[in-house]
Amino acid sequence: MSDTAQALTFRYSVANLNCGSCAARAEAALAKLPGVREARVNLATRRAELRTEDGFDAQSVEPAMETAGYPVTPLATPRLHRFEVGNLSCAGCVARAEAALAEVDGVEQAHVNLATRRAEVQGAPDLDIGALRDRLDRAGYPLTPIAEDTAPENDPHKDESRQYKAAFLMALALTLPVFLLEMGGHVIPGFHGWQIETFGQTPLRVFQFVLTSLVLAGPGRVFFRLGVPALLRGAPEMNSLVVLGAGAAWAWSTVVTFAPQLIPETGRFVYFEAAAVIVTLILLGRWLEARARGSAGAAIEGLLALSPDTALKVQPDGSETEVALADIHLGDVVRLRPGARVAVDGVILTGATHVDESMLTGEPVPVEKGPGDPVSAGTVNANGTVDFRATAIGNDTVLARIVTMVENAQAARLPIQSLINRVTAVFVPVVLAIAVLSAAAWAFLSSDPAQALVVAVSVLIIACPCAMGLATPISVLVGTGRAAELGVLFRRGDALQALSSVDLVAFDKTGTLTRGAPAVTGIHATEATSEETLLALAAAVEQASEHPLARAILAEAEARSLTLPVVDGFQNHPGAGVTAQVEGDTVRIGSRAFLAKEGVALPDREPGSSTEVHVARGALYLGHLDLSDPVKDDAADAIAALTRRGLQVAVLSGDAAGPVDAVARHLGIGLARAGLSPEGKQKALEDWQAQGLKVAFVGDGINDAPVLAAADVGIALGTGTDIAIEAADVVLVSGSPVGVTSAVEVSRRTLRNIAQNLFWAFGYNVALIPVAAGVLALFGGPFLNPMLAAGAMAASSVLVVTNALRLRRLKVN
């Protein structure tokens, strides 16, 4: 991923927007401004966002929009603030934490992720962090800012796992005697009678009271610490349900033990074992869940581990010193010995070696490297010793940028999650109402207050919405992590969902399906010039171009040792050609259509299978160069794999019809369009979209950026330019078209996994809440034991997380 250019974004508030037509006209007026690559106007927020490139003049926006009738006011570019969030237990917590964040002045958007226990807040650069923390503290969810330039030293999931493990083991030791004393009589005949005769009923109940109280006050205090304040705030969540369920069972049993006269004789039963087992089982579920979440984030840990702690810095006298990574600065010379990991990005100065870049590209074969070749942090030196100059350090390395992309993807919220959050926000209050109504109904039907208590406790425990809250984010966490291991980076969260429903995948040709390293295979000069003069003139003008065809022409001129004329006034016409001034004449180089449009008369001839670059000086046509660009070795496999998955495949190219058709035939692509400008490619996409097709576009060049942005899903090759990458939703690190298949497969499998999780989470609650409420008992069936309810609730969350972890083994065929 190169550092050639950076797209800037400007934001404005827009006045006089009254309808969709106003928004469209304002958007069109903004798009006409020089240097504006993309303009978006939102009628709902009355705001505009501009993505710009070279040539943009920010001072021209306000007068132009005043003239258009939609005055604008510049807005500060929002900043993304990241936080660790404490006390998140369920989807209800997520909804309440997000609502609390949104209430703070300056917050534009807030997103809380249950799986990662993190919040992303988009707001003004001077957002009052203190106000955010105060508001969330009052809501019961403390915030801890995450520094942008530091990697996490400790894994919070591991810390949480250790804490829950210790709490579970302590609760188990205290609960086991209570459970055996109360439930042993159901297994061993006469055991219950022997206890009564030996110890007496009251001492046994007091003993159970002591142990159960220790369980609730010790390892179980986490539920009370979080659940009670939530109840007092009128915002009950999962911990509140545990507090009410276990607390009610303990309180009832305590009264029966120490003041039995207050309870009707028919209800003088104790449920200490239920209260203790509920807490123990839920702690077990929390421990297993925390362990699984830690495994789900293994992709980030693996990426961070690729960066070494030290590097060999070469001193001016040629000696080497081992220094910490933080002591390496831009321009420093670093020595890389065999078997060592590259510490920072750089360019080799001396030496030759092979570098294993599989962590970036997924290609197992080490790449030969020599002077002038780039090396990337995290890759492994295979054999030789080389010195390289540091060109990117810290958060600017390719590895650091990949980690950031993966973190952003893992924290993303899919569109489906918003619906789930709205449901779970009201779920706990509804459960409380069901518990109260069920208890009241059974107290009336059975005249047994103890039975009513059992029903209420079972409903409260069974209905915890943990599994619902985890269903989507845990799958996203694992799926995007596995995608990163396959060389696929999802830059935007909604792309993970959108890619699963794509109908057609359109590829750019040069550099995407082909190697992007063409060579001159023929020179055809007219009588007006010679082959050497034609090539020298083309090479001179193409010196300022970054197009792969330009590099091929220059390479051929260098191989022939040609002297190039002096040029000035170079201009690039994206997707068409280039122009420059040579000795006072305008030289035009590009496609046949470009030269014809510029008024140059070209001879009629059938296009061949090679790419033709035509040259004219003034209005005089001088001839053309043939260039051939070999198809990538794995392109045919990629196209075949996409076709097997039921996707239509197309190629859109600015090249001539001959080479485009040849590539399409070679790869088995039935839909090919040639000679397209960037606008033409975008129009082709819009035509398909108008037919109801969801379209993904795969490209790598600057001229592909508008098309990538216009597609339902834009996929950029990581070997392409930064502008293309910034415009894309998905980045393929390796630059291989096979990565498209991997992206589609990860997307489909992740969405399928989310659907499975949601089916289980909602189905579990829909099926078992009525059972807990005693519906089966109305027809002579059993009541649900609160201990079984606790086990089922804990198992539901563990099952959801375990199902998501299956994505770690995802393979693409």
Side-chain angles (χ1 to χ4, degrees):
M1 287 179 280
S2 61
D3 292 312
T4 57
Q6 289 291 333
L8 297 179
T9 300
F10 293 83
R11 301 168 67 254
Y12 302 86
S13 64
V14 187
N16 299 343
L17 294 180
N18 300 309
C19 62
S21 297
C22 295
R25 283 190 288 271
E27 195 170 273
L30 289 167
K32 290 178 182 177
L33 296 174
V36 174
R37 199 179 74 211
E38 182 183 9
R40 294 182 180 178
V41 175
N42 188 310
L43 177 62
T45 61
R46 303 296 199 272
R47 290 184 176 180
E49 184 174 286
L50 303 184
R51 292 175 62 80
T52 66
E53 55 194 8
D54 291 344
F56 175 72
D57 181 9
Q59 303 299 321
S60 67
V61 177
E62 292 181 59
M65 294 307 290
E66 187 77 38
T67 303
Y70 303 101
V72 297
T73 304
L75 297 173
T77 301
R79 179 183 169 190
L80 190 65
H81 306 266
R82 301 175 187 269
F83 304 90
E84 297 281 357
V85 187
N87 300 344
L88 292 179
S89 304
C90 63
C93 299
V94 169
R96 279 185 283 274
E98 288 182 348
L101 287 168
E103 292 174 359
V104 178
D105 290 339
V107 172
E108 293 188 8
Q109 192 174 31
H111 169 38
V112 177
N113 189 302
L114 179 60
T116 60
R117 302 296 204 266
R118 288 188 173 188
E120 288 189 347
V121 178
Q122 191 170 21
D126 58 349
L127 184 66
D128 189 345
I129 303 300
L132 280 178
R133 298 178 71 172
D134 290 344
R135 181 66 188 86
L136 267 292
D137 281 340
R138 291 198 303 273
Y141 307 104
L143 289 180
T144 303
I146 300 173
E148 295 181 358
D149 55 351
T150 59
E153 297 180 0
N154 300 310
D155 183 350
H157 296 305
K158 288 184 178 178
D159 294 339
E160 189 180 32
S161 175
R162 284 192 291 265
Q163 293 168 5
Y164 277 122
K165 179 182 179 181
F168 163 69
L169 292 176
M170 182 185 297
L172 180 64
L174 294 170
T175 298
L176 199 55
V178 178
F179 180 79
L180 292 175
L181 287 173
E182 189 63 31
M183 306 303 292
H186 296 284
V187 179
I188 304 173
F191 181 68
H192 187 68
W194 174 81
Q195 292 180 68
I196 300 298
E197 292 176 5
T198 305
F199 302 105
Q201 187 178 68
T202 299
L204 285 173
R205 288 182 172 179
V206 171
F207 180 64
Q208 292 182 44
F209 162 78
V210 171
L211 292 181
T212 303
S213 299
L214 290 174
V215 171
L216 269 59
R221 70 179 179 274
V222 61
F223 302 113
F224 289 83
R225 178 173 60 83
L226 302 176
V228 172
L231 279 172
L232 296 176
R233 290 193 302 269
E237 32 82 274
M238 172 203 167
N239 296 294
S240 304
L241 298 180
V242 177
V243 166
L244 290 172
W250 175 87
W252 178 275
S253 303
T254 300
V255 172
V256 169
T257 299
F258 295 105
Q261 67 278 7
L262 299 178
I263 304 296
E265 190 172 344
T266 57
R268 292 175 187 174
F269 300 98
V270 295
Y271 299 97
F272 286 122
E273 87 289 349
V277 170
I278 285 169
V279 169
T280 303
L281 286 176
I282 295 175
L283 286 172
L284 171 62
R286 291 274 184 96
W287 171 36
L288 295 176
E289 181 188 316
R291 283 184 58 190
R293 283 203 308 270
S295 299
I300 288 289
E301 289 183 21
L303 289 171
L304 291 172
L306 294 175
S307 181
D309 297 324
T310 61
L312 294 176
K313 182 176 179 179
V314 179
Q315 305 299 334
D317 61 2
S319 63
E320 61 185 45
T321 306
E322 186 172 4
V323 299
L325 205 59
D327 294 328
I328 298 293
H329 304 287
L330 289 177
D332 285 350
V333 177
V334 180
R335 182 157 295 159
L336 183 63
R337 296 199 176 279
R341 283 196 181 274
V342 180
V344 295
D345 292 359
V347 175
I348 294 178
L349 301 175
T350 61
T353 187
H354 287 78
V355 177
D356 179 359
E357 297 183 331
S358 57
M359 53 76 59
L360 284 178
T361 65
E363 297 296 333
V365 180
V367 180
E368 186 177 354
K369 298 282 186 178
D373 289 331
V375 289
S376 299
T379 56
V380 180
N381 185 25
N383 42 33
T385 298
V386 298
D387 289 351
F388 68 91
R389 187 177 303 282
T391 57
I393 60 176
N395 290 337
D396 294 327
T397 65
V398 170
L399 176 61
R401 293 165 68 187
I402 287 175
V403 169
T404 299
M405 283 189 187
V406 176
E407 287 182 329
N408 290 341
Q410 291 186 335
R413 171 189 292 167
L414 303 192
I416 191 175
Q417 184 65 30
S418 298
L419 173 61
I420 297 167
N421 285 353
R422 287 196 296 271
V423 172
T424 53
V426 298
F427 186 79
V428 173
V430 170
V431 167
L432 290 175
I434 292 173
V436 171
L437 292 174
S438 300
W442 281 107
F444 173 76
L445 292 173
S446 67
S447 301
D448 184 352
Q451 187 59 66
L453 173 71
V454 169
V455 169
V457 170
S458 296
V459 171
L460 291 170
I461 297 302
I462 201 74
C464 170
C466 271
M468 286 188 229
L470 284 169
T472 298
I474 198 69
S475 295
V476 172
L477 181 68
V478 183
T480 53
R482 179 57 182 148
E485 294 171 351
L486 295 171
V488 178
L489 305 178
F490 286 89
R491 293 188 64 250
R492 294 169 187 166
D494 55 357
L496 186 63
Q497 183 170 334
L499 190 57
S500 67
S501 58
V502 159
D503 305 300
L504 184 149
V505 179
F507 287 85
D508 174 48
K509 181 181 75 71
T510 305
T512 303
L513 292 174
T514 62
R515 295 178 184 175
V520 175
T521 56
I523 302 176
H524 306 275
T526 64
E527 296 177 354
T529 188
S530 65
E531 288 187 0
E532 288 75 12
T533 302
L534 177 67
L535 178 60
L537 193 61
V541 175
E542 294 284 15
Q543 284 182 100
S545 174
E546 294 183 353
H547 198 282
L549 297 181
R551 291 193 290 271
I553 294 170
L554 283 169
E556 183 67 19
E558 290 174 2
R560 300 190 182 205
S561 301
L562 298 181
T563 300
L564 307 184
V566 177
V567 302
D568 56 20
F570 175 85
Q571 284 189 314
N572 179 38
H573 303 269
V578 295
T579 58
Q581 300 297 314
V582 178
E583 298 175 353
D585 294 329
T586 299
V587 175
R588 297 175 176 85
I589 301 176
S591 65
R592 171 180 287 269
F594 172 64
L595 265 65
K597 182 181 177 182
E598 293 288 308
V600 177
L602 289 84
D604 292 331
R605 60 183 300 274
E606 289 295 324
S609 60
S610 299
T611 299
E612 297 178 357
V613 175
H614 298 267
V615 183
R617 184 166 189 165
L620 179 63
Y621 179 69
L622 300 180
H624 73 272
L625 310 175
D626 286 338
L627 294 97
S628 295
D629 184 7
V631 173
K632 290 182 178 179
D633 295 336
D634 53 3
D637 292 337
I639 301 305
L642 292 172
T643 303
R644 285 197 306 272
R645 285 165 171 78
L647 293 169
Q648 299 180 58
V649 181
V651 58
L652 302 177
S653 177
D655 207 346
V660 172
D661 290 341
V663 168
R665 284 194 303 272
H666 177 73
L667 297 177
I669 299 174
L671 187 57
R673 297 189 183 182
L676 297 177
S677 64
E679 292 77 14
K681 292 180 182 179
Q682 191 168 339
K683 178 65 167 58
L685 255 65
E686 291 170 353
D687 289 344
W688 286 324
Q689 290 167 334
Q691 297 171 24
L693 297 175
K694 299 284 187 181
V695 183
F697 180 79
V698 188
D700 72 328
I702 290 176
N703 60 320
D704 290 329
V707 198
L708 288 165
D712 294 289
V713 181
I715 304 175
L717 303 189
T719 50
T721 65
D722 271 2
I723 290 179
I725 291 167
E726 285 296 319
D729 305 300
V730 183
V731 177
L732 309 181
V733 180
S734 69
S736 167
V738 170
V740 180
T741 307
S742 299
V744 170
E745 189 67 14
V746 168
S747 174
R748 289 183 173 183
R749 294 279 289 277
T750 301
L751 266 292
R752 189 185 312 158
N753 192 270
I754 289 172
Q756 293 165 352
N757 284 347
L758 290 174
F759 177 81
W760 166 254
F762 282 99
Y764 156 86
N765 281 286
V766 169
L768 291 187
I769 287 179
V771 174
V775 170
L776 293 182
L778 291 174
F779 304 96
F783 286 98
L784 183 65
N785 188 298
M787 290 185 292
L788 295 178
M793 186 276 286
S796 67
S797 295
V798 175
L799 181 63
V800 163
V801 177
T802 304
N803 184 51
L805 287 176
R806 294 190 305 116
L807 292 170
R808 293 181 62 188
R809 300 191 298 273
L810 184 151
K811 294 182 180 179
V812 180
N813 299 317

